Amino acid sequence: MIDEAAWVHLVTRLVEIVGTAIIVVGSFGALASFLVRLVRRTASRDLLVSRFRSSLGQSILLGLEFLVAADIINTVAVEPTIRSLVVLAGIVLIRTFLSFSLEVEIEGRWPWQKRRNAQPGRSAGKEP
């Protein structure tokens, strides 16, 4: 019989695997899409590179969210010590900075800046 801590470790590991898979699959998917569009010349190279970077960044952001969730589950549910909470705070701080940086890169603006030329139902700079 598996005890509660082992179940939490198992769930944490599964969430980490999902986060990693999102990053890997999303990265290769973005690359494949970029290469297909590049060969077919469906748009300008600059636009294709911009779309690729945006897709890649979105994959990384989503994967990071899962990895942060796994860290939180593991720290709070299994090892709630001061040291583990400090380590968690550092991990969350670093990953939050990475997420923030990627979002600025994807959107091309600071989060507190208003979107320029945005139409209802569309994000600025995004194609339908």
Side-chain angles (χ1 to χ4, degrees):
M1 186 86 174
I2 300 178
D3 65 340
E4 184 178 333
W7 278 108
V8 173
H9 278 298
L10 179 64
V11 168
T12 301
R13 190 56 70 193
L14 289 173
V15 173
E16 288 174 340
I17 290 169
V18 168
T20 303
I22 288 171
I23 293 172
V24 170
V25 171
S27 298
F28 283 114
L31 180 61
S33 176
F34 169 73
L35 293 174
V36 166
R37 289 178 176 159
L38 188 64
V39 169
R40 291 184 180 169
R41 299 179 194 267
T42 60
S44 71
R45 184 179 173 98
D46 290 340
L47 181 59
L48 292 176
V49 169
S50 176
R51 286 180 182 170
F52 170 68
R53 292 180 71 187
S54 178
S55 296
L56 181 62
Q58 289 172 347
S59 298
I60 294 170
L61 277 174
L62 184 58
L64 281 174
E65 295 298 329
F66 274 86
L67 294 172
V68 168
D71 288 336
I72 291 169
I73 292 167
N74 190 47
T75 300
V76 173
V78 176
E79 309 165 18
T81 64
I82 294 297
R83 183 167 191 251
S84 65
L85 291 175
V86 169
V87 170
L88 174 65
I91 290 169
V92 169
L93 185 65
I94 291 167
R95 288 189 177 162
T96 299
F97 174 76
L98 285 172
S99 295
F100 181 75
S101 299
L102 284 169
E103 189 155 343
V104 169
E105 180 73 22
I106 290 168
E107 295 292 327
R109 63 178 175 77
W110 297 105
W112 55 84
Q113 290 177 320
K114 291 184 179 179
R115 292 183 179 191
R116 295 183 195 116
N117 301 328
Q119 296 176 358
R122 283 181 46 181
S123 297
K126 305 278 184 187
E127 293 286 320

